[in-house]
Amino acid sequence: MGDVSATLDVSVRRHVVDAQVSVPLDPAKVTVLFGPSGSGKTTILRAIAGLDGASGSRIVFDGEEWDDGQRLRVPTRDRRVGLLFQDHALFPHMSVAENVAYGLIGMSRAERAERVQQSLEATAAEHLIDRMVNSLSGGEAQRVALARAIAPKPRLLLLDEPLSALDAPMRSRLRGEIRRILTDQGIPAIVVTHDRTEALALADHAVVLIEGRVVESGPVLEVFDRPKDSRVVDVVGMETALPASVVDVVDGVVRVTVESHTITSAFVPTAEGNAPSTFVVGDEALVCIRAEDVSLELPGARSRGSQRNHLPGVVQTVSPEGVLVRVEVDIGVPLAALITRPAAIDLDLQPGSPVAAVVKSTSVHLIKR
Amino acid sequence: MDGEALALSLRLAFATSAVLLAVSIPLAAWITFTRKRWVAVVEAIVALPIVLPPTVLGFYLLVAMGAQSPLGRWWVDVTGGPLVFSFQGLLIASVLSSLPFAVQPLVAAFSGVDRRLLEASAVLGRGWIFAVFKVVLPLSRAGLVTALVLSFAHTVGEFGVVLMVGGNIPGSTRTLSIDIYDSVQSFDYAAAGVTSVALLGFSAVVLTIVYSLRRRGDRRWVM
């Protein structure tokens, strides 16, 4: 596990899934398998744990063959992985302590008690030790389940939609905490989720799955902010993706036309792929803009600022979204903006109001079509 | 009522229930959790005593345990006596004829245990025997009691198979139901009536226990 080059190589062919995934096994590195429901994330996770019998999967953990695709080689109980189930799957007839101790094999009573205590402390659940599990709230149960998963010191932790069964306030509280627990434990982890916030909060590395295929993988920020594949744009939550054509490339700054607008895009390339210099005049591109990167101003109020893109349009809908307000603007094509509630009140935005959408050129991401 | 017959019936029922407990827990666990396709064949064989006339089952057991059969010959070699028309032979016959009454409630109870709990057990490094004893059985207590009570009651009431395999030897194979049959044959309706009422009451009490247990189920543990 200390070997930085260690990887878990998974190749799953089952039902609609046909995916090859390579996951770095550095200590405390968290990889997210991200994608919409039905994209095969959980199938891959279950194959890694060996839960579906002969699965047609090939799984090699740090050089150790777990599954050769013919028959299940290493049974689940011998793989030494920890699995956190979506709805925790605690043993309902046992106490919290008994649940956490369940996987502690070959220890004396005293060692077991100590390990139970340590694991519950790690997940901030030590006060629950004597409770029966059916008296726990959703958040408490998930902490206990995580303690149970880490207690036997697994070589790999698998988390299946760890927060989806919780209500919103509990979800946001546990999100940061799970990240801290995973880092503290120093165990590589794979998290399955369809929630963008969860992926960004928990993971270092992201693998995006769509319809059973891996479409993109890389450092999580890069995948989410600068997707290379047009199919990923949608699943990572870039609300606006407009077809455009390149009209001008000067000093790494690309200008494209969308409908009647000219939009400027500039970014510092972080990896191989869609660096602006790879665009030439006449290329077809997809302009991707996050709603939170779009600000709105009243027409005529245009200030002399550094933003390059001022796109006049008309407000279509205004809908509150938590502390923010989502505004759909028609600039000839639909564009989504996410602004604060006071800003929306200040601008007196109503459907039909004329506005200008303002976007920094570094917030405009281009993908080749 | 014939005290000796009552004692024998109870002894047989206790012994049958004990053997069935040991046999049907692993069998039911295998039926419930295996991925083998031919599990249906095993289930059908286990269920046969429910649909077969007891005389048919009794006939085959008589042949299988008779002095001419390998099992019967082996038994004579080991014990010096025949297996048929003995208590031991009767026990084997009772176990087989009551098998579905023990296995089916257990399979029903085991099937109700959330599969993810077993997956959690495997991921935590435990084998299936550990999982059966620590997870499956504690969560199937109602099914376990139902299986025990039904196999006990069914053995007390068994007639056809007992008559075929055990005959009517006082103290050895003459159970309560044989005693009733005997009393009727010799026109002693009063004795038959007393024993029948006792069995009727016993059966009603047993079934009431089973149904009230089933009503309570394991709902306490449903989260």
Side-chain angles (χ1 to χ4, degrees):
Chain A
M1 201 171 80
D3 184 357
V4 271
S5 64
T7 55
L8 168 70
D9 297 298
V10 183
S11 150
V12 177
R13 282 182 154 199
R14 188 183 174 83
H15 309 310
V16 297
V17 181
D18 183 1
Q20 278 84 44
V21 182
S22 185
V23 175
L25 291 176
D26 311 350
K29 185 83 130 193
V30 181
T31 301
V32 63
L33 296 183
F34 181 82
S37 322
S39 58
K41 313 175 293 275
T42 299
T43 304
I44 293 175
L45 202 73
R46 292 177 61 83
I48 296 170
L51 290 177
D52 288 323
S55 59
S57 317
R58 192 160 186 277
I59 294 159
V60 180
F61 179 91
D62 192 11
E64 193 182 312
E65 193 169 54
W66 280 358
D67 201 331
D68 63 359
Q70 306 298 314
R71 62 204 164 88
L72 195 66
R73 277 213 164 157
V74 178
T76 297
R77 63 174 182 276
D78 296 332
R79 295 191 184 193
R80 288 184 52 218
V81 297
L83 175 56
L84 185 67
F85 290 83
Q86 199 173 121
D87 42 5
H88 39 74
L90 291 171
F91 303 118
H93 56 298
M94 294 182 192
S95 72
V96 166
E98 287 168 327
N99 262 279
V100 178
Y102 191 91
L104 302 177
I105 302 169
M107 286 186 178
S108 71
R109 188 182 286 262
E111 285 169 333
R112 211 161 38 222
E114 193 189 332
R115 186 75 196 126
V116 167
Q117 184 72 31
Q118 279 173 356
S119 308
L120 285 168
E121 274 168 17
T123 61
E126 66 270 34
H127 59 290
L128 305 171
I129 191 161
D130 294 321
R131 295 262 293 273
M132 285 302 287
V133 297
N134 52 10
S135 71
L136 301 177
S137 71
E140 289 171 336
Q142 204 58 309
R143 281 173 201 275
V144 172
L146 189 55
R148 184 180 69 174
I150 62 174
K153 302 198 171 159
R155 297 188 286 180
L156 175 68
L157 261 177
L158 306 169
L159 295 84
D160 188 6
E161 307 265 5
L163 303 170
S164 64
L166 305 174
D167 54 31
M170 182 52 71
R171 206 179 305 155
S172 58
R173 205 159 77 216
L174 260 183
R175 203 180 285 133
E177 241 183 289
I178 287 185
R179 169 75 198 181
R180 179 189 56 75
I181 294 164
L182 294 180
T183 316
D184 287 354
Q185 293 299 311
I187 302 169
I190 300 177
V191 181
V192 156
T193 183
H194 64 269
D195 182 314
R196 188 161 60 100
T197 324
E198 209 169 301
L200 282 164
L202 294 177
D204 307 293
H205 188 84
V207 176
V208 182
L209 287 153
I210 296 174
E211 288 171 356
R213 307 283 193 283
V214 174
V215 287
E216 189 154 347
S217 66
V220 71
L221 288 176
E222 212 167 289
V223 168
F224 278 79
D225 287 345
R226 301 271 170 221
K228 297 188 200 81
D229 191 298
S230 57
R231 287 169 297 173
V232 179
V233 171
D234 197 31
V235 297
V236 300
M238 285 201 165
E239 289 89 334
T240 301
L242 309 169
S245 41
V246 176
V247 290
D248 186 22
V249 184
V250 179
D251 295 337
V253 176
V254 182
R255 293 204 305 146
V256 296
T257 52
V258 176
E259 294 286 305
S260 59
H261 306 284
T262 301
I263 296 178
T264 308
S265 166
F267 65 76
V268 184
T270 47
E272 79 294 344
N274 293 313
S277 55
T278 65
F279 284 98
V280 293
V281 175
D283 273 352
E284 293 295 302
L286 208 54
V287 171
C288 306
I289 304 170
R290 271 184 204 288
E292 54 262 44
D293 291 334
V294 177
S295 48
L296 298 177
E297 60 184 31
L298 294 174
R302 182 170 173 175
S303 57
R304 283 177 65 84
S306 63
Q307 305 95 330
R308 300 318 308 159
N309 301 303
H310 291 257
L311 310 165
V314 176
V315 173
Q316 293 294 304
T317 57
V318 180
S319 40
E321 203 167 272
V323 295
L324 299 174
V325 176
R326 173 177 296 274
V327 185
E328 299 287 343
V329 182
D330 181 8
I331 59 163
V333 285
L335 177 74
L338 213 48
I339 61 173
T340 60
R341 203 181 283 265
I345 292 167
D346 205 30
L347 295 173
D348 189 26
L349 296 176
Q350 305 291 341
S353 315
V355 286
V358 183
V359 190
K360 289 176 74 170
S361 31
T362 48
S363 298
V364 177
H365 175 55
L366 294 182
I367 291 177
K368 268 199 182 150
R369 276 201 291 156
Chain B
M1 193 162 56
D2 183 349
E4 203 175 33
L6 174 66
L8 180 71
S9 277
L10 290 178
R11 188 152 71 96
L12 183 65
F14 274 116
T16 303
S17 305
V19 173
L20 274 177
L21 188 67
V23 171
S24 39
I25 288 173
L27 186 56
W30 183 81
I31 288 174
T32 312
F33 301 119
T34 185
R35 293 191 177 110
K36 300 270 190 294
R37 289 213 180 137
W38 45 276
V39 63
V41 177
V42 176
E43 277 191 279
I45 292 171
V46 169
L48 273 180
I50 295 178
V51 292
L52 275 183
T55 44
V56 172
L57 185 66
F59 170 71
Y60 282 118
L61 285 169
L62 192 61
V63 172
M65 299 193 296
Q68 309 302 315
S69 74
L71 176 65
R73 275 203 305 274
W74 175 79
W75 188 265
V76 172
D77 287 348
V78 173
T79 64
L83 186 53
V84 286
F85 308 119
S86 72
F87 180 77
Q88 286 79 1
L90 203 54
L91 178 59
I92 294 175
S94 292
V95 165
L96 290 175
S97 77
S98 292
L99 193 59
F101 298 91
V103 171
Q104 290 186 344
L106 286 178
V107 170
F110 291 178
S111 304
V113 173
D114 189 342
R115 290 287 170 120
R116 283 163 324 127
L117 298 179
L118 299 174
E119 293 180 350
S121 172
V123 170
L124 288 164
R126 298 295 191 174
W128 75 271
I129 295 176
F130 190 89
V132 165
F133 280 99
K134 290 288 186 179
V135 179
V136 176
L137 283 177
L139 292 176
S140 308
R141 285 209 296 218
L144 202 59
V145 175
T146 305
L148 270 177
V149 171
L150 282 185
S151 43
F152 187 88
H154 185 251
T155 307
V156 169
E158 183 56 69
F159 174 73
V161 173
V162 174
L163 192 63
M164 293 290 283
V165 177
N168 182 6
I169 303 165
S172 175
T173 64
R174 182 191 165 106
T175 61
L176 275 184
S177 49
I178 304 284
D179 181 51
I180 296 170
Y181 177 69
D182 230 25
S183 304
V184 172
Q185 290 293 80
S186 53
F187 299 105
D188 187 354
Y189 280 37
V194 170
T195 315
S196 295
V197 162
L199 273 182
L200 179 68
F202 169 76
S203 304
V205 169
V206 163
L207 289 176
T208 307
I209 292 171
V210 168
Y211 283 112
S212 60
L213 275 172
R214 201 172 282 181
R215 195 161 277 276
R216 262 198 294 163
D218 275 346
R219 245 174 265 163
R220 277 167 296 157
W221 286 319
V222 174
M223 290 171 72

